[in-house]
């Protein structure tokens, strides 16, 4: 990025915001300059504007963090807002029946974004967070979203390197293609220890008039998981949400 004088003010501001990650949620001005390739003087000026607006906050340690104003704006995203309002009561019901992790995700380009989750008090730990992104090929919700994605999206994912998270992650394109066909055939996905070796997820599609718009899953400890018993629960919740969104649920 360094040495690009033609970059617009907007692209520079977005680059600053994009520099923050879950692994690096707090950054100094020097770190922001290094990550974005922007001059320190530019970073100082733009950070001050973002701070005044509330997009950034500055801690007592002098480091900058994403501000609550961005969360307020992001919560207005129509795909997330409508889905979350409809889905939360159903997710809470599913949690009360199982006391396991319940997750809701949508596809964004070639990745998924978690837009809501309920963590079970004694459930298996998960790597996900609301607003977090993840690959489509490994998780239960990701497999559902990929199985019902446009063919072009599927082919891009299948053609790209598939990251291996555990020894059981499916990274062979041919095998993954068969997995996606099976998801469409049975109407749900099972991801067995593909992300961590202690967890299994079962996911089902959520439909709206335009097609599958989201996926809902239960994530449980592998050693007490029974996918055959869990699948009908997740599918039933998916059908309830699909009806609420006006989608077919066959």
């Amino acid at each position: 990025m360094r040495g690009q004088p033609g970059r617009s003010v907007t692209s520079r501001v977005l680059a600053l915001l994009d520099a923050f990650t879950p692994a690096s949620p707090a950054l100094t001005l020097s770190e922001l300059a290094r990550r974005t390739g922007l001059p320190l003087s530019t970073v100082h000026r733009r950070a001050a504007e973002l701070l005044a607006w509330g997009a950034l906050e500055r801690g007592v340690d002098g480091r900058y963090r994403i501000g609550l104003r961005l969360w307020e704006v992001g919560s207005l995203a129509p795909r997330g807002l409508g889905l979350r309002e409809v889905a939360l009561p159903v997710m809470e019901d599913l949690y009360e029946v199982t006391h396991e992790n319940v997750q809701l995700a949508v596809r964004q380009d070639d990745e998924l974004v978690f837009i809501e989750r309920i963590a079970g008090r004694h459930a298996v730990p998960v790597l996900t967070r609301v607003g977090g992104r993840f690959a489509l090929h490994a998780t239960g919700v990701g497999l559902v979203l990929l199985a019902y994605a446009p063919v072009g999206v599927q082919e891009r994912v299948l053609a790209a390197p598939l990251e291996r998270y555990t020894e059981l992650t499916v990274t062979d394109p041919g095998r993954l293609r068969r997995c996606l066909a099976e998801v469409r055939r049975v109407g749900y996905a099972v991801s067995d220890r593909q992300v961590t070796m202690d967890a299994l997820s079962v996911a089902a599609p959520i439909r709206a008039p335009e097609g599958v718009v989201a996926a809902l899953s239960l994530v449980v400890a592998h050693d007490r998981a029974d996918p055959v018993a869990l699948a009908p629960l997740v599918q039933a919740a998916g059908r309830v949400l699909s009806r609420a969104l006006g989608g077919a649920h066959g």
Side-chain angles (χ1 to χ4, degrees):
M1 292 183 180
R2 194 176 298 277
Q4 295 183 9
R7 294 173 68 184
S8 67
V9 172
T10 302
S11 71
R12 295 177 183 185
V13 169
L14 293 175
L16 285 175
L17 297 176
D18 197 44
F20 295 91
T21 67
S24 301
L27 300 168
T28 65
L29 288 175
S30 296
E31 289 169 335
L32 283 167
R34 186 166 59 253
R35 285 171 175 248
T36 61
L38 295 171
L40 186 59
S41 59
T42 300
V43 171
H44 185 275
R45 188 164 58 252
R46 300 304 173 208
E49 294 171 352
L50 291 169
L51 190 67
W53 186 77
L56 293 181
E57 296 176 356
R58 191 178 185 186
V60 294
D61 58 0
R63 292 177 177 269
Y64 291 83
R65 296 166 175 81
I66 294 296
L68 281 177
R69 185 75 179 273
L70 275 187
W71 180 83
E72 293 172 5
V73 173
S75 68
L76 299 176
R79 278 208 294 167
L81 181 64
L83 274 173
R84 288 178 67 251
E85 289 180 341
V86 173
L88 264 175
V90 178
M91 294 176 69
E92 290 167 352
D93 288 345
L94 191 55
Y95 170 76
E96 288 300 325
V97 170
T98 64
H99 294 286
E100 302 287 0
N101 300 303
V102 186
Q103 301 186 139
L104 179 68
V106 298
R107 181 178 61 84
Q108 178 69 47
D109 299 323
D110 297 350
E111 297 178 302
L112 66 86
V113 179
F114 292 99
I115 62 172
E116 190 56 86
R117 63 177 287 235
I118 299 175
R121 184 176 303 173
H122 302 295
V124 62
V126 294
L127 301 178
T128 58
R129 62 181 180 85
V130 174
R133 291 173 175 263
F134 211 85
L136 289 168
H137 69 280
T139 66
V141 286
L143 289 169
V144 166
L145 293 169
L146 185 57
Y148 292 98
V151 173
V153 173
Q154 295 182 21
E155 294 304 322
R156 281 200 307 272
V157 172
L158 289 165
L162 298 171
E163 183 172 351
R164 183 183 298 278
Y165 299 97
T166 73
E167 61 189 42
L168 296 178
T169 307
V170 176
T171 58
D172 176 70
R175 185 180 168 199
L176 180 56
R177 195 184 297 274
R178 292 191 294 273
C179 289
L180 299 179
E182 180 66 7
V183 171
R184 291 189 293 269
R185 186 185 73 82
V186 300
Y188 65 92
V190 176
S191 171
D192 185 1
R193 294 166 290 171
Q194 291 202 57
V195 178
T196 62
M197 289 302 292
D198 58 351
L200 176 148
S201 65
V202 180
I206 298 170
R207 293 175 167 86
E210 62 270 30
V212 172
V213 295
L216 180 73
S217 72
L218 281 171
V219 183
V220 305
H222 164 74
D223 58 5
R224 64 170 183 266
D226 182 357
V228 174
L230 295 174
L233 297 175
V234 182
Q235 287 180 295
R239 286 192 292 270
V240 170
L241 292 174
S242 296
R243 284 194 293 270
L245 295 174
H249 52 275

